[in-house]
């Protein structure tokens, strides 16, 4: 990734971190700050007030993204070729958890969010999300697209790594941003993205995703 692309990627993620920091004071809030690094890149430093995470290989399955993502919400390859179809396919994937009361409403909410501004972050990543009572509790899904799906990203790349976050309205503030912050932090790691794209099956993908803490 070139220095310019790193800078653009950081800019697209920075807002999530800044909003998350402004929540302040909540025990559920994990705060990060973007700091300058030498050369063309940038680095993330964890707030010293937050305890160091446990070793990555110690995370049990039910702690992947705080238990919101599981093997049943992981799909190696999407069948969809366009954004709207992909969002529906992922909504149906989330519904296998029993946490989705209304798949159609979840899809409509996610598409309304897309109409406000693309959730394609660039670097072949998209994180569509929906705040709706169509879900009973927070749930996260992940899927890949080998060919990539046009998501309107500013850098012109098609989305190949796609996360979908869905939270009920009551949890829309703190928890939604906490999940987004955890994901954004790890997705800035090029090695992590490469391993996520190369993982051969659901179980291997989940092993990589256990590093998101």
């Amino acid at each position: 990734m070139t220095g310019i692309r790193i800078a653009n990627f950081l800019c697209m993620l920075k807002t999530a971190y800044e909003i998350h920091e402004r929540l302040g004071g909540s025990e559920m809030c994990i705060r990060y700050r973007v700091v300058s690094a030498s050369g063309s890149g940038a680095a993330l430093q964890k707030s010293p007030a937050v305890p160091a995470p446990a070793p990555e290989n110690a995370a049990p399955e039910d702690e992947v993204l705080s238990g919101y993502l599981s093997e049943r919400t992981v799909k190696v390859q999407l069948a969809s070729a366009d954004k709207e179809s992909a969002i529906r396919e992922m909504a149906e994937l989330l519904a296998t958890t029993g946490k989705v009361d209304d798949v159609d409403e979840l899809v409509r909410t996610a598409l309304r969010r897309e109409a406000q501004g693309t959730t394609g972050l660039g670097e072949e990543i998209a994180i569509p999300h929906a705040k709706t009572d169509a879900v009973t509790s927070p749930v996260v899904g992940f899927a890949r697209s080998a060919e990539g799906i046009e998501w309107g990203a500013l850098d012109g790349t098609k989305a190949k790594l796609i996360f979908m976050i869905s939270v009920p309205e009551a949890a829309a503030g703190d928890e939604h941003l906490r999940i987004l912050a955890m994901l954004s932090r790890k997705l800035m790691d090029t090695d992590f993205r490469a391993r996520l794209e190369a993982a051969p099956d659901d179980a291997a993908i989940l092993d990589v995703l256990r590093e998101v803490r």
Side-chain angles (χ1 to χ4, degrees):
M1 187 165 29
T2 67
I4 292 175
R5 292 176 72 189
I6 290 174
N8 288 339
F9 188 50
L10 285 170
C11 286
M12 285 184 279
L13 297 180
K14 185 178 179 183
T15 299
Y17 282 94
E18 291 175 338
I19 293 172
H20 199 62
E21 284 195 32
R22 286 201 295 271
L23 289 174
S26 169
E27 291 180 359
M28 294 293 289
C29 187
I30 295 177
R31 301 190 301 168
Y32 297 95
R33 58 191 177 90
V34 178
V35 296
S36 297
S38 59
S40 59
L44 286 172
Q45 290 184 351
K46 202 180 301 177
S47 168
V50 179
E56 291 176 349
N57 60 7
E61 181 173 343
D62 61 358
E63 288 188 7
V64 178
L65 271 173
S66 300
Y68 300 143
L69 187 148
S70 65
E71 192 165 356
R72 72 172 57 191
T73 62
V74 169
K75 195 163 192 176
V76 175
Q77 176 61 40
L78 286 170
S80 302
D82 63 85
K83 179 166 65 173
E84 183 170 347
S85 297
I87 286 175
R88 176 165 292 279
E89 188 174 349
M90 294 198 72
E92 291 171 350
L93 182 68
L94 298 186
T96 64
T97 64
K99 297 178 180 179
V100 179
D101 283 343
D102 189 335
V103 170
D104 289 339
E105 180 57 27
L106 174 54
V107 171
R108 284 193 292 268
T109 303
L111 291 175
R112 283 196 296 268
R113 171 60 186 83
E114 292 294 329
Q116 295 171 4
T118 182
T119 59
L121 298 180
E123 298 297 336
E124 301 181 338
I125 299 166
I127 310 181
H129 45 278
K131 295 177 283 188
T132 172
D133 288 330
V135 298
T136 57
S137 61
V139 59
V140 179
F142 169 74
R144 298 187 310 208
S145 171
E147 299 299 321
I149 297 172
E150 178 55 53
W151 219 277
L154 293 178
D155 68 354
T157 61
K158 293 183 177 181
K160 293 184 176 182
L161 304 176
I162 304 164
F163 290 86
M164 186 167 181
I165 303 172
S166 300
V167 298
E169 288 287 353
D174 192 22
E175 200 65 3
H176 173 256
L177 291 172
R178 189 176 78 91
I179 296 168
L180 184 58
M182 285 192 294
L183 277 176
S184 298
R185 172 178 173 265
K186 198 63 183 175
L187 286 168
M188 292 168 68
D189 181 342
T190 55
D191 179 66
F192 173 79
R193 298 201 307 271
R195 286 184 288 110
L196 193 54
E197 192 164 353
D201 53 34
D202 293 3
I205 288 172
L206 201 63
D207 281 342
V208 177
L209 290 173
R210 285 194 180 97
E211 299 174 23
V212 181
R213 302 181 63 81

